[in-house]
Amino acid sequence: MQKIEISVLKSGGEAHTQREILSQPALWQQIYDLIQNESEEIALFLKPILQKDNLSILLTGAGTSGFIGEAAQSVLKQIWRRPVQAVPTTEIVTQPKSVFVRSVPTLLISFARSGNSPESVETVKLADVHCDEVYHLVITCNREGALATMDTAAANRIYRIVLPEETNDKSLAMTSSFTCMLLSVLLVARIDSLEGEFDKIQHMIDQGNIILEQKFLLETLVMKGFERVVFLGAGEYLGIAKECHLKLLELTDGKLVCMSDSFLGFRHGPRAFVNEHTLMVYLFSRNPHMMRYERDLAEDIARDTRAIQSLQIGGEAELTLPNSSKIALRIDPKNQYQMIATTLVGQLLGYFSAMHLGIDPDSPSMSGSISRVVQGVNIYRE
């Protein structure tokens, strides 16, 4: 199949997906500035809440927005020294009593690109009904969306962070909205020491630009015509692996078969998914202890007689695998923001895979079975 350059795609006069992927490193700087500008108000809202005994912190969203919570929960738990749990809105609306505990003070952190998904709106309402004391932190990309404008039963217990309009992706798949909302909540967790985070943010921006500069390496991999792609990550990178998996699924309209898992979990059955037409994508950890387990699996798969192809993101410089490509990144074990840049790998692989299959990345769903804002969800109340 003839190679298609990234600059060729046009959709309605503008390639939204392309622009939204490439714009992210510059947007990350804007997000840092925005959170810093609102730092006093955010701290005034959060500090009294975080001092409450027995506080429950829930991170929620649907689909890609739900993966923000999965990627952030372990980092927030370490910073706040509180139990933090990621629960998708799609689970909360069906079984709110299994999530909310009436007598326990609750901080519900909601992530939403449009803020109009039925489950996202209903989750906020359910929290007000099922909790005696609930606080809402909403992070959204749409100032006109329901989450940004709706009244709650506790109007004085809500703080909304509305990100720049440029983060409100016009394409079907969430790209810049995901990374910018994830960055926002990680910065909120460090609201008292944002100036000390500046160098880490710059390092993340540099890593994002390095990955974007390797886009033709990623395109070349896609042109090999893999039938299956596996993303592996551990810790916070497991949430990133799930998001990368979803990007390929969405952008190829389900034509490219994908999966995601942890490195150790993959050994327990899911490895049967791999065949000779599979690309393994290793999202290596910043944690040296975890990296030992990750390296063992990568080397084990490299010994497979079927010559399984792989792509290494980060990891140890001395790790050399046969049949493998690598994007080398200078890893800082103390920089939790690095996972954000890694997300660009899944986005670019999804974009190029769509192009390779002749699919418009801006509107990949030929059947209309998926849409930018989910449709057809009926909300039922007990």
Side-chain angles (χ1 to χ4, degrees):
M1 187 172 184
Q2 185 179 3
K3 182 178 178 180
I4 304 173
E5 299 294 341
I6 193 169
S7 59
V8 171
L9 176 63
K10 296 295 178 185
S11 176
E14 183 178 24
H16 294 305
T17 308
Q18 174 185 236
R19 173 178 53 78
E20 288 155 4
I21 292 174
L22 299 180
S23 68
Q24 288 171 93
L27 279 175
W28 298 338
Q29 179 65 58
Q30 290 186 41
I31 298 303
Y32 175 79
D33 294 340
L34 183 150
I35 300 299
Q36 190 171 49
N37 289 338
E38 293 189 27
S39 60
E40 290 186 11
E41 293 87 350
I42 294 171
L44 188 64
F45 174 76
L46 271 184
K47 279 185 177 180
I49 301 171
L50 294 174
Q51 292 172 0
K52 292 183 176 294
D53 294 333
N54 200 30
L55 178 69
S56 171
I57 302 173
L58 300 176
L59 311 177
T60 194
T64 285
S65 295
F67 295 146
I68 297 171
E70 290 200 36
Q73 64 180 343
S74 63
V75 175
L76 299 185
K77 188 180 300 182
Q78 293 168 21
I79 295 172
W80 284 337
R81 300 183 183 277
R82 295 274 192 169
V84 179
Q85 183 181 10
V87 186
T89 58
T90 47
E91 291 187 20
I92 293 176
V93 297
T94 58
Q95 45 184 349
K97 292 179 182 178
S98 70
V99 178
F100 299 120
V101 179
R102 181 168 296 282
S103 61
V104 174
T106 300
L107 172 62
L108 183 70
I109 303 179
S110 299
F111 305 102
R113 173 173 62 176
S114 71
N116 292 322
S117 295
E119 301 98 329
S120 297
V121 175
E122 180 65 9
T123 291
V124 170
K125 295 178 180 178
L126 287 169
D128 289 340
V129 169
H130 290 278
C131 299
D132 289 336
E133 185 180 356
V134 61
Y135 304 88
H136 298 279
L137 175 62
V138 174
I139 301 178
T140 182
C141 304
N142 182 14
R143 65 178 58 257
E144 297 178 354
L147 284 189
T149 59
M150 71 183 292
D151 294 326
T152 72
N156 62 334
R157 294 181 177 176
I158 185 168
Y159 190 94
R160 297 176 173 93
I161 298 175
V162 180
L163 304 188
E165 179 59 29
E166 295 93 328
T167 68
N168 189 10
D169 302 318
K170 302 301 185 291
S171 55
L172 181 143
M174 291 173 62
T175 53
S176 66
S177 52
F178 174 86
T179 60
C180 288
M181 285 192 283
L182 177 53
L183 175 58
S184 296
V185 76
L186 296 181
L187 289 171
V188 164
R190 295 288 192 186
I191 203 67
D192 289 330
S193 57
L194 287 181
E195 290 187 4
E197 303 302 291
F198 180 80
D199 288 344
K200 294 179 182 178
I201 299 300
Q202 295 305 308
H203 180 59
M204 176 194 69
I205 291 172
D206 290 342
Q207 288 184 327
N209 284 322
I210 288 171
I211 292 171
L212 291 178
E213 289 167 2
Q214 294 295 318
K215 57 183 178 289
F216 296 114
L217 165 65
L218 300 176
E219 183 180 16
T220 299
L221 279 174
V222 166
M223 297 304 291
K224 292 183 178 182
F226 293 104
E227 297 174 357
R228 304 179 180 187
V229 181
V230 177
F231 292 93
L232 298 183
E236 65 259 37
Y237 284 91
L238 178 55
I240 301 300
K242 291 180 179 181
E243 167 58 11
C244 290
H245 163 193
L246 180 60
K247 283 290 91 63
L248 263 70
L249 197 63
E250 289 178 324
L251 289 171
T252 64
D253 197 25
K255 292 180 174 59
L256 188 58
V257 182
C258 314
M259 72 166 294
S260 55
D261 207 335
S262 66
F263 281 83
L264 283 181
F266 190 67
R267 291 180 179 271
H268 292 265
R271 187 169 173 175
F273 180 83
V274 176
N275 64 16
E276 61 272 21
H277 304 296
T278 301
L279 173 65
M280 301 294 305
V281 182
Y282 302 125
L283 307 180
F284 285 123
S285 172
R286 61 190 173 95
N287 183 312
H289 176 68
M290 293 167 64
M291 179 64 195
R292 294 174 179 173
Y293 294 100
E294 297 167 359
R295 178 174 183 152
D296 284 350
L297 178 65
E299 290 178 335
D300 191 26
I301 291 176
R303 290 189 288 268
D304 193 303
T305 57
R306 294 172 294 178
I308 306 302
Q309 297 283 311
S310 68
L311 171 63
Q312 305 172 60
I313 308 301
E316 299 170 338
E318 66 273 17
L319 179 57
T320 301
L321 301 173
N323 308 306
S324 186
S325 302
K326 185 172 186 177
I327 297 181
L329 300 173
R330 182 175 60 84
I331 300 300
D332 178 359
K334 297 182 180 180
N335 189 343
Q336 68 267 28
Y337 306 104
Q338 292 169 136
M339 62 170 160
I340 297 173
T342 302
T343 313
L344 299 181
V345 173
Q347 296 174 0
L348 287 168
L349 285 174
Y351 176 85
F352 285 124
S353 296
M355 294 291 289
H356 180 67
L357 293 167
I359 295 171
D360 179 353
D362 285 3
S363 303
S365 182
M366 306 295 186
S367 64
S369 58
I370 59 173
S371 56
R372 185 175 179 276
V373 180
V374 70
Q375 306 293 323
V377 176
N378 295 316
I379 299 297
Y380 302 100
R381 295 186 173 87
E382 294 179 318

